[in-house]
Amino acid sequence: MTSESDRISEPLNLAVIVASVRPGRLGPVVADWFLDRVAARGGFSATTLDLLDFDLPADLTPSPAGEAFASAIGAADAIVAVTPEYNHGYPASLKTALDSVKYEWRGKPIGFVSYGGLSGGLRATEQLRQVVAELHMVSVRDSVGFHRARKAFDDLGETTDPAATDASMRMLGQLHWWAALSARNSAIEHYPG
Ligand SMILES: Cc1cc2nc3c(=O)[nH]c(=O)nc-3n(C[C@H](O)[C@H](O)[C@H](O)COP(=O)(O)O)c2cc1C
């Protein structure tokens, strides 16, 4: 039998949500860059949840896609949303995803990798902090933001932005701390939501 101390010494499960679903999107380039940072850091086993693959109903009707998405969130110890900024907010696809799941979000940490024009998607990130608090999640302090995102990555999906790498490492450290705490506490008692 696996003890709780064994469980939290394993790599923790990190779900990386790709929020953009539009044709020609930049989202997968940003997500792949971030997944490389996760692998370089260690301590997490990452799963990509591309919202394009889920086809979640915007009217929130229960669906197999919704069940599959909730199950994937339930298996995660921590979440990162890779999100663009659209009209000073975050995409509707991400709001639908957030609204499609209830209990599986609770007590878990979330971080944000945003991208956009001049603001680097920071307005999307700050709006998301309000929403995830209602879902009983903890948003970590550090986030990653790419301004002028189309120009930030070369043809191989690499970026020379050292601030982004530094920020991603700080964010992952904070996520790991909260995720280990959440995994330990969840094994002892249900989140009081
Ligand atoms: C409908 C729409 C609205 C946008 N609004 C903003 C914005 O308010 N601020 C910003 O920085 N970038 C804005 N952008 C630029 C996007 O952030 C940028 O094109 C980004 O690559 C979009 O992500 P995606 O390609 O993964 O969909 C907007 C793009 C679209 C398509």
Side-chain angles (χ1 to χ4, degrees):
M1 195 174 135
T2 305
S3 72
E4 180 49 26
S5 58
D6 290 339
R7 152 110 179 78
I8 61 169
S9 65
E10 295 167 358
L12 295 164
N13 295 320
L14 177 67
V16 177
I17 298 173
V18 182
S20 169
V21 295
R22 73 186 182 105
R25 63 196 177 144
L26 184 65
V29 173
V30 184
D32 286 347
W33 171 85
F34 179 68
L35 287 162
D36 284 346
R37 303 287 80 69
V38 176
R41 181 194 182 277
F44 286 109
S45 173
T47 302
T48 304
L49 304 180
D50 187 338
L51 296 184
L52 193 59
D53 295 334
F54 283 93
D55 198 19
L56 297 168
D59 67 1
L60 308 181
T61 307
S63 68
E67 285 176 25
F69 187 68
S71 172
I73 296 301
D77 299 306
I79 320 287
V80 165
V82 177
T83 183
E85 180 170 299
Y86 291 166
N87 295 318
H88 292 199
Y90 55 92
S93 49
L94 183 53
K95 187 62 163 66
T96 298
L98 289 165
D99 294 341
S100 296
V101 177
K102 192 169 182 183
Y103 302 104
E104 290 84 352
W105 295 120
R106 294 186 172 185
K108 296 180 181 174
I110 184 166
F112 303 107
V113 177
S114 66
Y115 56 98
L118 285 178
S119 78
L122 294 180
R123 289 169 289 220
T125 289
E126 294 308 316
Q127 290 175 23
L128 282 161
R129 292 188 193 280
Q130 296 181 10
V131 175
V132 301
E134 177 61 14
L135 293 168
H136 297 265
M137 304 182 85
V138 175
S139 70
V140 297
R141 187 263 194 188
D142 280 79
S143 64
V144 183
F146 290 101
H147 66 276
R148 302 180 73 203
R150 288 264 168 204
K151 296 187 187 304
F153 295 89
D154 65 19
D155 290 344
L156 297 175
E158 293 298 330
T159 179
T160 54
D161 182 351
T165 299
D166 289 352
S168 67
M169 290 300 146
R170 285 195 301 275
M171 185 178 79
L172 284 165
Q174 292 157 20
L175 282 168
H176 198 276
W177 192 92
W178 283 105
L181 190 69
S182 173
R184 186 185 301 124
N185 282 352
S186 297
I188 299 167
E189 59 180 336
H190 285 299
Y191 178 84

